[in-house]
Every structure is written in C-alpha cells, then in structure tokens.
Amino acid sequence: MNIYLSHFSALCAYEKGQLPASFRMTEKSPLPANHVPRLSAAEAAFLHERFSLPYPIQAAAPTKRCRRRSIFLDPHILPSQALRDQFYKAAKGLYIASPQLALLQIAGLVSPLSLVLLMSQATSRFAMRPESTQGFVDRNPLCGLDDLINLEGSSANVRGAKAYRRALSRVQEGCRSPAELKFALRLTLPKTEFNGFGFPKPLINARIDLSSTKNSLYGKREVDFLWPEAKLVVQYDSEDYHAHSLDSDARRDNEVIEAGYQVIRATAGQTADPDSMNALAALIASFVYQNRRSSITEQIRQDILHPTEKEQSKRDSLKEQLDLHFSTDFFHVPAVVRQQEKEASRKASNQRRRNAYQARQAKERPEAFSEGLPEELSEGLLEESF
C-alpha cells in the first residue's frame, strides 16, 4: 500500500483520532510527481476499519494520467507543487494531507455553513467522541487560523478556493466545546447569509491581565469571550464543560469587573430559548456597539429583540443546523445528502443576488423595473453583475 489520503478521508482520520500515537506533523512527505494511487480490497477494508474512513477512500494523484478510480478509491488531482508538499507520513505506505489542505479540498463540496463549522472545529480544542461521557474530548487544535490563511496563497485554480477564502473570516478559533462554538457562530455569523446576529468576532478563551487589581490571586484570568474594544466579557456556562461552583464563578467575575470589564453570563438554557437568546444578544449589542450613536445602537437592539416571524424562523433554522452538525457523524453522511445541502445553499445565495439586483436596479431606474425583475434575467448574468 502506498496511498496519500486527501479530502474527507484525511479530515476524517484527524477528527476520529485514529492516527498512530507516534504521528507528528513535523516532517513533510511531498506527493511524488509520478505517483499512481492504487488500493486493493483488503487494503481498503483495513483503512476503513483502522481509521474509520468511509468508502470510497479519497486520495491524491499528481496528474490525470496517474488517476485510477475503483469502487474503493476516489483519486483527486492536485494542480500545484505547493499543495503536493502538504503531506505527512502517518505510517508505512500511508501519507495524509495537512488539515488545512483537506479543508481546502472539500471547500467546494460542502455548504458554506458546514465549511465554517469544519474549519472552526479544526482550530478548536475539542474533538467529537460520541462514546465519551460529554460527547467530546479535549485535544490540541489540528491547525491554527494562521495555517489556514497561509495556504490561501496556494489555492489558485483549486475548486472551492473562493468558498475557502470567504469562510476564513468567519472561523471561530480556540473553542473548548461544541456548545461554545455553536454560541460563538450564532453571535457572529452574518445576518444576510447565515442568519446570525452579525457581531464582530470576539477573542475566545483569551486571557485578561489582572495584575492591576488588588484582590486577585492570579496574574491573568482566562475568559470565554472577550471584545477588547468594548471591554466586554461573556462567560458561557454550558452543561458539558464548565463545572465551577457558584462561589468560584462569582470570585472570577468580581476579579474581571475590578479590572474594568463588563461581565455577562450566558447559560445553555438561555441559548435554547429564542426569546432569551434574543434578549441576551440585545444586551451584548448594547456594549459592542456603544461607540455608535445612541439612536443606531437602540435600533440594533430593537431589531434583535423584535424580529419578524420570518427572521425568527431563520434564526431558529441556524440553531437547528448547528445542533444537527454535532448530533450526526458528518463524515459518514452520504455524498448525495451533502450535495443536496450544498444545492439548497446555492439556490438561497442566488435568491439573495436576485433580490439585491432588483433593489439596485429599481433604485437606479424605477420606471423600467416597476413590474419587478425580468424573468429572462439568467443566474449567469446575476453572478457576473456581482
């Protein structure tokens, strides 16, 4: 066996934690220019059992001439030498793409939300393990946000490169639990595309300097979410990670408040209830946007507190999609289901383009567009206009 795992197969091997204990991403093993991936039925079965890889197993090939498909193997071409250098030796005859390369390769195969989730998981400090008590375990991040950004320069002519670049600005790095990640994404994902609240990205699990306070026993204190410019801290108490006592929580909060920060506490119960979540988001908005004119800040708060029925339905839909991602085994979802998810996302994106185009043209030429968007306007023309 001489195989270079890529795409979903590589990412699955990382996320499932089935790689050998001796594996380290230290010395690269580039994909040879004449490598022809081959996999027998017995070797495919071994990889399926040992590393929990779904069929067909995805691997890298340097050129079309070297690509050999089978019912067990799905080879993909890497167009540039910079990407072929992104492999590491996992075992004898088995090589694996770096996490950032695997994410780039699947960027065009999943929906934008799934891509943001997978990129955020790769940079987080937990891994999903359904067999564990909490459903996840602690681990070091597979890669950092800087690693994802550095690969962007080598992504030209790669399918999904545009989706990869767009997702980079939405990645939430450093979360310690699925609940923290879901909460962070609901707060920060853009309203127009993902139906989030659209807040600026906070620092997650950052450390605050408490050396100036009198009563602190620590030089620094880690907080869950930090907006430095607004001097705002949000502590998220999820049932699956935090196990602090009330006394301990109060002492921590007092130390942070003494250092000059506002502290808001959020719980899993609040985020599960739509009205409570809206009230929490409105409270956060009053601090995050405090430097804007008071009328604008108040308008933002009112929009969050009193959404239309359609807007609330979209917010609930985002929560359901996030919950579904962590309640199912994403890597063993059939490819046809992932394609349906991506197609639905594409149609929604095209509809937003139509609406924006219609609004813009109606403003520029109201007399010509008084009856709405012409039916003969194709999706291709819409995409070119943006």
Side-chain angles (χ1 to χ4, degrees):
M1 180 173 64
N2 190 24
I3 200 80
Y4 286 73
L5 295 179
S6 65
H7 289 72
F8 290 103
S9 294
L11 204 56
C12 181
Y14 283 116
E15 289 292 349
K16 296 290 184 180
Q18 300 294 334
L19 292 171
S22 59
F23 172 71
R24 297 289 185 275
M25 285 187 287
T26 53
E27 185 175 349
K28 293 183 177 180
S29 299
L31 175 68
N34 59 349
H35 171 71
V36 179
R38 291 188 176 91
L39 204 61
S40 67
E43 291 169 340
F46 168 76
L47 291 175
H48 176 73
E49 293 295 329
R50 176 65 180 82
F51 300 104
S52 301
L53 303 185
Y55 292 123
I57 292 170
Q58 295 172 311
T63 63
K64 286 185 178 180
R65 186 172 297 179
C66 297
R67 184 168 59 183
R68 301 287 187 275
R69 280 198 173 97
S70 72
I71 60 174
F72 304 110
L73 184 63
D74 182 18
H76 295 266
I77 299 169
L78 283 181
S80 72
Q81 185 59 48
L83 298 182
R84 295 174 195 168
D85 291 339
Q86 294 285 323
F87 284 88
Y88 299 91
K89 185 175 182 179
K92 184 178 180 180
L94 180 64
Y95 304 85
I96 186 168
S98 66
Q100 54 269 32
L101 174 58
L103 289 164
L104 172 62
Q105 291 173 319
I106 70 170
L109 304 174
V110 298
S111 70
L113 180 59
S114 293
L115 181 59
V116 171
L117 275 162
L118 292 171
M119 294 171 80
S120 298
Q121 278 184 255
T123 59
S124 292
R125 306 180 191 180
F126 68 90
M128 299 304 297
R129 297 289 184 273
E131 67 278 5
S132 68
T133 304
Q134 296 177 325
F136 68 95
V137 295
D138 295 338
R139 68 122 190 251
N140 292 326
L142 297 177
C143 61
L145 182 57
D146 290 341
D147 297 320
L148 297 175
I149 294 173
N150 291 339
L151 190 66
E152 181 190 356
S154 306
S155 63
N157 302 322
V158 178
R159 179 186 179 185
K162 183 177 179 181
Y164 181 87
R165 287 193 294 270
R166 286 173 60 86
L168 283 174
S169 62
R170 289 146 190 172
V171 173
Q172 297 294 329
E173 184 182 23
C175 293
R176 292 189 181 277
S177 69
E180 275 191 1
L181 178 53
K182 290 188 289 185
F183 181 63
L185 290 175
R186 291 178 70 186
L187 290 179
T188 60
L189 286 177
K191 177 180 178 181
T192 53
E193 184 176 0
F194 295 99
N195 307 309
F197 290 103
F199 292 145
K201 285 174 58 175
L203 301 178
I204 299 178
N205 292 308
R207 299 181 71 83
I208 292 179
D209 185 7
L210 300 178
S211 58
S212 61
T213 61
K214 297 179 180 179
N215 300 320
S216 176
L217 300 177
Y218 306 92
K220 292 186 177 181
R221 171 72 72 187
E222 185 176 284
V223 295
D224 294 336
F225 302 96
L226 170 65
W227 283 267
E229 297 81 4
K231 303 285 284 186
L232 174 66
V233 169
V234 175
Q235 300 282 45
Y236 183 70
D237 299 328
S238 62
E239 297 174 356
D240 54 12
Y241 191 83
H242 293 86
H244 304 140
S245 66
L246 292 177
D247 291 341
S248 176
D249 287 340
R251 185 175 67 252
R252 292 165 185 264
D253 291 351
N254 290 338
E255 292 172 353
V256 173
I257 292 171
E258 190 178 353
Y261 293 85
Q262 297 287 340
V263 177
I264 297 175
R265 283 209 163 265
T267 65
Q270 284 179 294
T271 59
D273 178 68
D275 292 336
S276 298
M277 182 65 188
N278 291 342
L280 178 62
L283 180 59
I284 294 173
S286 63
F287 292 102
V288 171
Y289 301 122
Q290 61 185 335
N291 291 330
R292 300 189 181 185
R293 285 191 308 181
S294 57
S295 59
I296 296 178
T297 303
E298 183 58 27
Q299 183 61 50
I300 293 174
R301 291 186 67 259
Q302 293 303 317
D303 290 344
I304 293 174
L305 280 172
H306 306 291
T308 64
E309 185 176 345
K310 185 176 181 180
E311 288 174 339
Q312 186 58 55
S313 176
K314 290 181 177 179
R315 291 178 188 176
D316 295 341
S317 175
L318 173 61
K319 178 182 180 300
E320 291 172 2
Q321 291 178 68
L322 294 174
D323 290 340
L324 181 63
H325 177 87
F326 288 105
S327 62
T328 58
D329 189 342
F330 179 85
F331 298 102
H332 286 80
V333 172
V336 65
V337 176
R338 288 199 295 262
Q339 184 59 34
Q340 290 171 353
E341 180 190 46
K342 181 172 174 57
E343 182 64 18
S345 176
R346 186 190 68 80
K347 288 182 179 179
S349 177
N350 281 337
Q351 185 60 49
R352 287 193 298 271
R353 290 175 184 271
R354 289 192 189 93
N355 295 341
Y357 184 91
Q358 185 175 9
R360 187 176 65 190
Q361 293 298 320
K363 184 177 180 181
E364 294 176 356
R365 295 186 295 163
E367 68 286 350
F369 283 81
S370 58
E371 297 182 0
L373 186 68
E375 294 182 0
E376 63 271 16
L377 195 61
S378 66
E379 291 185 1
L381 179 59
L382 282 172
E383 293 176 358
E384 290 176 4
S385 68
F386 285 84

